[in-house]
Amino acid sequence: MFVVKPTRPMLVLWTPIAVLLLVAGCGQGGSTSRPEPLNLELTESGDRASYSGAPREVPAGLARISLKNAGKAPHEAQLVRVDGEHSAQEVLQAIGGTEQGGRIPAWLHAAGGVSTTGPGQTNTAVQPLEEGTHYVLDMESEDPSKGAQAKFDVKGGGGVAEPPDAPATITASEYKFETAGLKAGSNRVRFENAGQEPHHIIMAPLKRGKTIDDVRAFARTEKGEPPVEEEKFVGTAVLDGGASQVVDLELQKGKYVGLCFITDRKGGPPHVAKGMVMEVKVQ
Ligand SMILES: [Cu+2]
């Protein structure tokens, strides 16, 4: 490859062009609009954590949400949209209730965002944002009420842009996943919730000699040694039915399992107990 060492003025010139090209490349889904950047940084302080960089207002449409984890533990930036006036505490109580089999209130919408991000890592999600009040929450923290929280309003009732196409796809519905194009290494993935219920995907490598039936049994009983390499999991944030986003997932060659731990809106067991467990071969 022919490489010219750029002088400083060239760098200054080239950087914005490179950024523009990247953004244009992301707009293949039909929309040529530039995704609105929403760059969050998480920092820890004692047993508390906080996000910085959240704007107070974001225009409706396509957004590129990034989470830089400057802490020492894994964190996430799950977006939740609420209808009407509801506090972050109410939202956290409602989510806590679903873990006990409770109903998801009609005013609460799982609105994507950035899934679990390791210390020192940055993850991104490109997705539409609908008009309304949004909370950013870290359900990854041991006590989410002490975890990082942010709030912003999405304004402008224009059409909701579609996220761009991607070389790989994961489609979730009741109660299954379909995948296409996943490979070893870095994957740009369009995750689509084609169902009615909220879903996400958590993917973890299957341990050598373990099968999908071992995973099903473990999900039921949570007894014994986990059949998956839990510390190597990747995934997406939770999305309501009909929503989609584009994320980057780093995968290694081998067998993975895809799992969904979310419940139906009317409550009940997590979807993993309803068969939302799938083996995915990564070549
Ligand atoms: Cu699900």
Side-chain angles (χ1 to χ4, degrees), residues 19-31:
V19 169
L20 277 173
L21 285 173
L22 272 173
V23 168
C26 289
Q28 287 165 356
S31 160

Side-chain angles (χ1 to χ4, degrees), residues 144-244:
S145 69
K146 287 183 180 171
Q149 292 177 10
K151 184 185 183 185
F152 61 86
D153 284 319
V154 177
K155 290 204 169 153
V160 171
E162 276 286 298
D165 290 333
T169 55
I170 300 175
T171 307
S173 59
E174 291 83 46
Y175 296 97
K176 61 184 194 308
F177 296 110
E178 281 170 56
T179 71
L182 294 173
K183 59 176 180 16
S186 178
N187 291 264
R188 183 146 290 176
V189 184
R190 185 177 157 124
F191 176 72
E192 188 164 346
N193 182 348
Q196 308 285 318
E197 302 294 343
H199 298 293
H200 66 168
I201 189 167
I202 301 295
M203 290 180 72
L206 202 53
K207 280 184 185 162
R208 195 175 286 273
K210 297 292 178 187
T211 67
I212 194 84
D213 286 331
D214 295 325
V215 178
R216 288 200 180 96
F218 183 77
R220 250 191 336 265
T221 60
E222 288 191 23
K223 282 198 180 108
E225 199 195 318
V228 298
E229 297 179 52
E230 288 179 300
E231 70 287 354
K232 285 190 182 166
F233 83 88
V234 295
T236 68
V238 188
L239 281 173
D240 259 11
S244 49

Side-chain angles (χ1 to χ4, degrees), residues 21-46:
L21 285 173
L22 272 173
V23 168
C26 289
Q28 287 165 356
S31 160
T32 50
S33 66
R34 182 173 181 266
E36 183 73 16
L38 210 163
N39 299 319
L40 302 165
E41 179 167 350
L42 183 141
T43 49
E44 293 169 355
S45 168

Side-chain angles (χ1 to χ4, degrees), residues 44-229:
E44 293 169 355
S45 168
D47 65 343
R48 298 262 169 178
S50 55
Y51 299 113
S52 59
R56 284 172 66 180
E57 220 176 283
V58 182
L62 211 55
R64 183 181 182 279
I65 304 150
S66 72
L67 173 66
K68 179 181 177 186
N69 180 358
K72 290 188 169 65
H75 293 284
E76 64 167 2
Q78 170 71 46
L79 299 189
V80 171
R81 193 178 74 252
V82 299
D83 302 330
E85 292 282 316
H86 296 279
S87 66
Q89 201 188 345
E90 271 181 276
V91 174
L92 288 169
Q93 261 169 13
I95 296 172
T98 67
E99 284 160 18
Q100 320 302 322
R103 169 185 293 273
I104 302 171
W107 50 262
L108 192 158
H109 308 281
V114 180
S115 182
T116 307
T117 300
Q121 305 285 307
T122 300
N123 282 333
T124 61
V126 177
Q127 62 168 79
L129 289 175
E130 279 182 49
E131 202 171 19
T133 302
H134 285 68
Y135 287 101
V136 190
L137 300 166
D138 183 13
M139 305 311 296
E140 189 64 36
S141 79
E142 211 159 297
D143 178 357
S145 69
K146 287 183 180 171
Q149 292 177 10
K151 184 185 183 185
F152 61 86
D153 284 319
V154 177
K155 290 204 169 153
V160 171
E162 276 286 298
D165 290 333
T169 55
I170 300 175
T171 307
S173 59
E174 291 83 46
Y175 296 97
K176 61 184 194 308
F177 296 110
E178 281 170 56
T179 71
L182 294 173
K183 59 176 180 16
S186 178
N187 291 264
R188 183 146 290 176
V189 184
R190 185 177 157 124
F191 176 72
E192 188 164 346
N193 182 348
Q196 308 285 318
E197 302 294 343
H199 298 293
H200 66 168
I201 189 167
I202 301 295
M203 290 180 72
L206 202 53
K207 280 184 185 162
R208 195 175 286 273
K210 297 292 178 187
T211 67
I212 194 84
D213 286 331
D214 295 325
V215 178
R216 288 200 180 96
F218 183 77
R220 250 191 336 265
T221 60
E222 288 191 23
K223 282 198 180 108
E225 199 195 318
V228 298
E229 297 179 52

Side-chain angles (χ1 to χ4, degrees), residues 240-252:
D240 259 11
S244 49
Q245 63 170 198
V246 171
V247 295
D248 292 318
L249 299 180
E250 190 73 29
L251 299 171
Q252 62 187 40

Side-chain angles (χ1 to χ4, degrees), residues 172-173 175 177 197-200 260-264 270-272 276:
S173 59
Y175 296 97
F177 296 110
E197 302 294 343
H199 298 293
H200 66 168
C260 178
F261 294 101
I262 309 308
T263 62
D264 282 1
H271 294 160
V272 62
M276 221 164 161

Side-chain angles (χ1 to χ4, degrees), residues 10-23:
M10 265 179 87
L11 260 179
V12 172
L13 269 172
W14 271 98
T15 308
I17 292 170
V19 169
L20 277 173
L21 285 173
L22 272 173
V23 168

